[in-house]
Amino acid sequence: MNASSPSPAQNQASPATLYGGVTNRRVTVRDLAAAKQRREKWSMLTAYDALTAGVFDEAGIPVLLVGDSAGNCHLGYETTVPVTMDQMVMLSAAVVRGTKRAMIVADLPFGSYQESPAQAMRNAARLMKEAGVGAVKLEGGERSARSIELLVEAGVPVMAHIGLTPQSVHALGGYPVQGRGDEAAHQLLRDAKAVQQAGAFSVVLEAVPAELAAQVTEQLAIPTVGIGGGPDTDAQVLVWTDMAGMTAGRVPKFVKQYANLRAVLGDAARAYAEDVRSGAFPAAEHSFH
Ligand code: KIV
């Protein structure tokens, strides 16, 4: 090895690019830190099952979030509040099994970490040991800093989540934009700095004004992941069912739909039913003799 060639350790930590750069191992927190250094933006999608996660992994999405949005996007609840640890462990394990390269981050659901840092640790350990995820995410800024600190000290990579925190839907009275006005903006900045100080490796900024998200991104050394935070965060995340057009009804303003899977699947189901009704399916090539 000469002086200019990277050491094996550097190769491990800093592939040339995040998107398409790491192929033989999972993406790590060091890769995400290196991406912030070189200002490479990256994408995150939610996933709740092995099959869909495998598609996103093959597409090169570097980080997949087993979000507790599974509550409303996969399990049929109205909000994320009813989601349990057992459900998160089951869904997360499926996503880990269906992927090879992406870093898998799993949400700690409502009620699984707010009691105490010890409760957060117990449940984060379940997600890492039973499901095999590489990191956990929890909601809250200053209010969650002590738990983040303990998890990080214990070797658990933590993604924080501030701004609109959907587990507080009943306290917030819906899903309003956060951080509007001087006091709220200052609180968001304090929350962002508190989770960084506590050791979080990145932070989700949900439903905050784009200018404020840009300011937070500028002031933090860790990557910010925006959802409804405008174009200047280090990364973006979308709920996959929104992004791919599976969600029924209206989607939030910040969603861009890249496909209309709901229509595609509906058409396929109707065509199949019609073929069965008419006798066109199964045809000779689908039959054993
Ligand atoms: O649960 C989830 O999907 C999330 C994203 C919206 C960031 O927390």
Side-chain angles (χ1 to χ4, degrees):
M1 185 168 57
N2 64 38
S4 61
S5 66
S7 70
Q10 282 171 319
N11 266 338
Q12 277 278 314
S14 319
T17 64
L18 194 56
Y19 189 79
V22 180
T23 51
N24 57 350
R25 60 170 174 79
R26 287 211 186 253
V27 171
T28 70
V29 293
R30 294 170 68 190
D31 297 320
L32 302 184
K36 173 130 185 167
Q37 288 293 313
R38 60 175 181 267
R39 294 176 174 266
E40 180 187 346
K41 286 175 177 276
W42 48 274
S43 51
M44 178 162 99
L45 277 173
T46 65
Y48 316 113
D49 68 274
L51 216 68
T52 316
V55 171
F56 298 153
D57 200 39
E58 281 170 22
I61 303 296
V63 187
L64 294 177
L65 171 67
V66 190
D68 60 355
S69 53
N72 32 327
C73 301
H74 187 71
L75 297 171
Y77 300 125
E78 276 194 12
T79 70
T80 63
V81 173
V83 176
T84 66
M85 268 306 298
D86 285 348
Q87 288 167 334
M88 288 306 300
V89 168
M90 189 199 69
L91 300 177
S92 302
V95 168
V96 170
R97 283 194 295 270
T99 55
K100 292 191 171 73
R101 171 187 182 262
M103 172 195 285
I104 309 301
V105 182
D107 259 333
L108 282 166
F110 179 68
S112 73
Y113 62 94
Q114 289 92 343
E115 252 174 61
S116 65
Q119 187 202 25
M121 183 62 221
R122 200 162 48 247
N123 285 316
R126 278 198 70 192
L127 287 166
M128 295 189 84
K129 289 160 77 98
E130 295 176 41
V133 304
V136 302
K137 178 165 82 57
L138 51 77
E139 296 184 2
E142 287 181 325
R143 69 179 156 100
S144 295
R146 279 197 313 125
S147 293
I148 295 173
E149 225 165 67
L150 179 69
L151 294 181
V152 172
E153 270 171 29
V156 180
V158 178
M159 179 179 279
H161 183 157
I162 62 173
L164 176 60
T165 48
Q167 292 174 11
S168 305
V169 57
H170 298 302
L172 294 169
Y175 300 99
V177 173
Q178 301 292 300
R180 283 194 168 138
D182 281 356
E183 181 39 41
H186 284 132
Q187 183 58 52
L188 191 90
L189 269 164
R190 281 197 295 275
D191 283 335
K193 288 180 180 167
V195 299
Q196 172 171 278
Q197 177 69 27
F201 73 87
S202 74
V203 56
V204 170
L205 306 177
E206 179 162 355
V208 297
E211 301 73 21
L212 179 58
Q215 205 184 337
V216 173
T217 301
E218 189 57 38
Q219 293 193 20
L220 290 194
I222 58 173
T224 57
V225 186
I227 175 161
D232 293 322
T233 51
D234 298 301
Q236 296 287 331
V237 56
L238 283 176
V239 167
W240 91 260
T241 49
D242 292 345
M243 178 281 302
M246 269 297 279
T247 306
R250 279 188 65 226
V251 291
K253 171 186 164 76
F254 55 73
V255 171
K256 179 170 176 183
Q257 280 192 344
Y258 288 85
N260 193 348
L261 281 198
R262 199 173 178 85
V264 170
L265 270 184
D267 286 348
R270 278 183 288 274
Y272 164 65
E274 179 52 31
D275 274 3
V276 171
R277 197 193 60 76
S278 69
F281 176 83
E285 69 265 31
H286 308 118
S287 307
F288 300 107
H289 295 287

